[in-house]
Amino acid sequence: ARQLLERPMRVRLEGYVAPSGDPELEKRMSQQLADGVKVMLVTMGVAEPRVVAVGRGASRSIALDRPGAAPTRVDVFVLPGHGARTQP
């Protein structure tokens, strides 16, 4: 959140959940997860239009048997052309 408050960048939050066998439920749950992170960032002072939240369902799911894996997660991506530093 500090980086978003200090730099004028936009980000995309992508929510993912563990496979449940119900793609519609997975999509809805992953969207709620991403929306929750967005609400948290906005509550901390990040301007709402700078944050895009997308639910991806169980796509790109991480194997549950992998040590340290988090099948339910939110990935954060800085959108191109926003907040990049330029050389004078």
Side-chain angles (χ1 to χ4, degrees), residues 7-21:
R7 300 172 80 190
M9 66 178 88
R10 291 187 66 226
V11 295
R12 182 179 67 243
L13 306 171
E14 294 186 359
Y16 296 91
V17 297
S20 69

Side-chain angles (χ1 to χ4, degrees), residues 10-88:
R10 291 187 66 226
V11 295
R12 182 179 67 243
L13 306 171
E14 294 186 359
Y16 296 91
V17 297
S20 69
D22 183 343
E24 289 180 27
L25 176 63
E26 294 162 359
K27 176 78 170 159
R28 191 168 55 250
M29 290 177 63
S30 64
Q31 183 66 54
Q32 290 173 349
L33 184 63
D35 287 341
V37 173
K38 179 176 180 174
V39 167
M40 180 191 69
L41 291 172
V42 171
T43 300
M44 294 174 75
V46 177
E48 189 273 337
R50 294 175 45 207
V51 184
V52 177
V54 180
R56 298 289 190 201
S59 65
R60 294 193 338 176
S61 182
I62 296 175
L64 297 175
D65 60 349
R66 197 168 105 194
T72 300
R73 69 187 194 282
V74 175
D75 293 339
V76 181
F77 299 93
V78 175
L79 297 176
H82 294 86
R85 293 183 185 213
T86 57
Q87 294 290 331

